């Protein structure tokens, strides 16, 4: 059988044969054993080539490949040779994808731990565990940004290099995962009165969603990302790197920067004079950035589509923020127990019924915190979003009398 191991053409033909047998309904476990026995391992680029050939030859349609994609993932898992894969520099877009996958795996592990505990809980404990599951699935929803960066940044470059089949199949799996996540959120939002009912939801809905998410990580790390590293040029990767912040990050805030070797990196120049013109004046970008940094309040802006678009990043923020929230649905940025309040604010602001909501906490880490949500409307009164302003007013509440003379802050 060594000729299969050492000959690329025969190895791909064997893989093609096994995948077609899988499609015809043969036992996946038997085929997996056969794959291990005959092929031992197969380079990731040959898996991609076989998938592309099956689509091009009309042996299988894209939809048929989509239908058994999970099965052939299970068969190939652990049998894909990545020894020839390129090293990934810190801060590279692929490094970011992989670090996001680590964060996603951590959520999967948290889910598995909670599931073990739920096996023995009583009905009285259900509510607490449902809240924990809602938090994990809120975090899973951040995967949408990870998928969109693949769909709108990576896939177009692969298609430019004539790799069209795998991206189409993977995009289809993204959409399936999105639908499963939607179903999971709906299941967890419904009234769950008993431990048995919760266990049924886990088995029938949540488990499948988590399996899909885990399977996508395998497809990315064993096939897509090594192949993409081999295919895209440094210029193409740098374009992806520059555009990545527009889509946002999934569960992480990358700290490493990356500049490709051998590529002339042109520093992006901003207009320095009156770049931002408003009705009452103008800023250059450095001034505007510094202004938000030094304001004695924290600001977060959510657009009309309920996506977080901006937050001020002063060093003394009351509530921590990082760039992973950019582009995220604001509902997913709050604990499950308070989502209904967020939903109510969004509904009332959008309808025009209300324009402001105020909250305060008298002992948040020893501080008095004031929070104000205001509807943002355009010149014609149209709804543009919500601005959240948070301020530590502990010192203000202690003020008495007047302060009319110059007095600097005590350092």
């Amino acid at each position: 059988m060594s000729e299969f191991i050492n000959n690329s053409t025969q190895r791909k033909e064997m893989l093609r044969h096994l995948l077609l047998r899988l499609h015809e309904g043969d036992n996946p476990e038997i085929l997996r054993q056969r794959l291990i026995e005959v092929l031992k391992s197969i380079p990731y680029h040959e898996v991609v080539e076989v998938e592309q050939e099956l689509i091009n030859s009309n042996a299988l349609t894209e939809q048929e490949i989509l239908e058994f994609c999970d099965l052939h993932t299970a068969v190939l898992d652990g049998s894909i040779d990545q020894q020839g894969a390129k090293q990934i520099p810190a801060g590279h877009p692929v490094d970011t994808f992989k670090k996001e996958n680590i964060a996603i795996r951590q959520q999967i592990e948290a889910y598995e731990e909670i599931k073990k505990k739920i096996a023995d809980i009583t009905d009285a404990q259900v509510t607490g565990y449902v809240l924990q599951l809602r938090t994990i699935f809120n975090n899973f929803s951040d995967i949408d940004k990870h998928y969109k960066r693949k769909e709108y940044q990576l896939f177009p470059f692969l298609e430019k290099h004539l790799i069209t089949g795998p991206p189409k199949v993977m995009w289809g799996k993204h959409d399936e995962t999105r639908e499963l996540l939607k179903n999971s959120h709906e299941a967890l939002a419904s009234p769950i009165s008993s431990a048995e009912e919760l266990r049924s939801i886990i088995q029938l809905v949540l488990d499948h969603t988590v399996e899909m998410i885990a399977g996508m990580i395998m497809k990315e790390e064993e096939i897509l990302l090594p192949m993409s590293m081999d295919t895209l040029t440094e210029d193409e990767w740098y374009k992806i790197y520059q555009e990545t912040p527009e889509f946002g990050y999934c569960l992480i805030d990358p700290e490493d920067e990356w500049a490709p070797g051998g590529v002339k990196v042109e520093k992006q120049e901003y207009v320095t004079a009156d770049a931002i013109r408003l009705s009452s004046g103008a800023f250059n970008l450095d001034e505007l950035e510094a202004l938000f940094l030094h304001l004695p309040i924290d600001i977060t802006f959510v657009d009309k589509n309920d996506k977080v678009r901006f937050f001020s990043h002063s060093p003394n923020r009351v509530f921590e923020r990082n760039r992973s929230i950019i582009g995220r649905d604001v509902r997913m940025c709050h604990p499950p127990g308070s989502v209904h309040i967020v939903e109510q604010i969004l509904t009332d602001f959008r309808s025009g019924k209300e324009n402001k909501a105020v909250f305060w906490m008298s002992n948040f880490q020893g501080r008095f915190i004031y929070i104000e949500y205001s509807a943002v409307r355009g010149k014609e009164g149209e709804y543009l979003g919500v601005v959240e302003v948070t301020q530590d007013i502990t010192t203000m509440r202690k003020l008495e009398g007047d302060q009319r003379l110059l007095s600097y802050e005590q350092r």
Side-chain angles (χ1 to χ4, degrees), residues 356-372:
K356 187 171 290 187
V358 174
F359 303 85
W360 58 85
M361 293 179 284
S362 61
N363 187 21
F364 178 77
Q365 300 175 356
R367 298 180 291 170
F368 196 106
I369 305 301
Y370 179 83
I371 309 165
E372 184 174 291

Side-chain angles (χ1 to χ4, degrees), residues 93 233-243 258-260 263-266:
T233 66
E234 293 282 75
D235 292 281
E236 290 168 336
W237 279 123
Y238 195 58
K239 288 178 183 176
I240 292 175
Y241 174 81
Q242 289 177 306
E243 295 173 0
W258 175 68
V263 174
K264 184 180 178 181
V265 179
E266 296 182 1

